[in-house]
Amino acid sequence: MRGTTVSDNNLVGIIMGSHSDWEVMQHAAKTLDSLGIANEARVLSAHRTPEQAFEYAATAPERGIEVLIAGAGMAAALPGVLAAKTTLPVLGVPLVSGPLGGQDALYSIVQMPPGIPVGTLAIGKPGAINAAFFAAAILGLRYPEIRRAIEEARAEKRDAILAAVDPKQA
């Protein structure tokens, strides 16, 4: 089923605070695409476009969105702002920016107040990829074809490792 779109509606919304964040967040979109999960990406800032970010989160369910992935650097308010306006699962990806190399974003996202959860992933590209897999796992509870796509992706990774030659001979 990999590569086959599960739904005509976008099931995952990928949101980032600035266009430059796409360099990392595109990996979430590519991973979702490879699993056949329709998704959309938007640039909405918690600080520069807060009303639009609130509206996006509040209206996501009526557009068919079931999971949000939000990438943010520095103060990293975007995932929390989205989580404050929706009960959908929100997955936060801390982005590398500023002098602290993304640690500030990680701490900002992971320290949400009780009752407004944000699932927090690793900093940067690995976090974006794992956010997509985590979104797929959430969706896989409802869509068996997504669960199968995850299983196939994991099997491909396993088979690639097992097919590799002895590292001493590489």
Side-chain angles (χ1 to χ4, degrees):
M1 230 346 109
R2 284 193 64 196
T4 304
T5 302
V6 174
S7 170
D8 291 334
N9 293 330
N10 292 316
L11 296 176
V12 179
I14 301 169
I15 306 92
M16 63 216 81
S18 71
H19 289 280
S20 63
D21 297 339
W22 182 244
E23 183 177 334
V24 170
M25 298 307 292
Q26 69 179 319
H27 298 288
K30 288 178 182 178
T31 301
L32 292 166
D33 290 344
S34 76
L35 295 170
I37 301 170
N39 61 89
E40 64 185 28
R42 299 284 184 277
V43 175
L44 296 167
S45 170
H47 300 107
R48 294 179 295 269
T49 62
E51 293 86 5
Q52 291 81 2
F54 277 166
E55 180 181 348
Y56 181 87
T59 62
E62 64 194 51
R63 293 191 318 276
I65 299 290
E66 296 185 27
V67 180
L68 297 175
I69 297 173
M74 300 178 78
L78 184 59
V81 162
L82 298 172
K85 292 300 282 187
T86 187
T87 57
L88 294 177
V90 177
L91 307 176
V93 179
L95 300 176
V96 176
S97 62
L100 300 179
Q103 289 184 38
D104 49 348
L106 173 65
Y107 290 141
S108 293
I109 297 171
V110 80
Q111 297 186 92
M112 291 300 299
I116 310 294
V118 172
T120 309
L121 285 296
I123 297 170
K125 180 180 174 182
I129 293 169
N130 277 339
F133 275 106
F134 197 175
I138 292 166
L139 294 167
L141 295 170
R142 179 172 174 186
Y143 302 100
E145 57 270 39
I146 293 177
R147 195 169 44 254
R148 283 191 297 276
I150 297 168
E151 291 166 356
E152 289 175 23
R154 287 184 175 187
E156 286 174 15
K157 290 184 185 301
R158 180 200 63 229
D159 293 347
I161 289 171
L162 294 175
V165 297
D166 182 340
K168 294 185 287 184
Q169 298 176 8

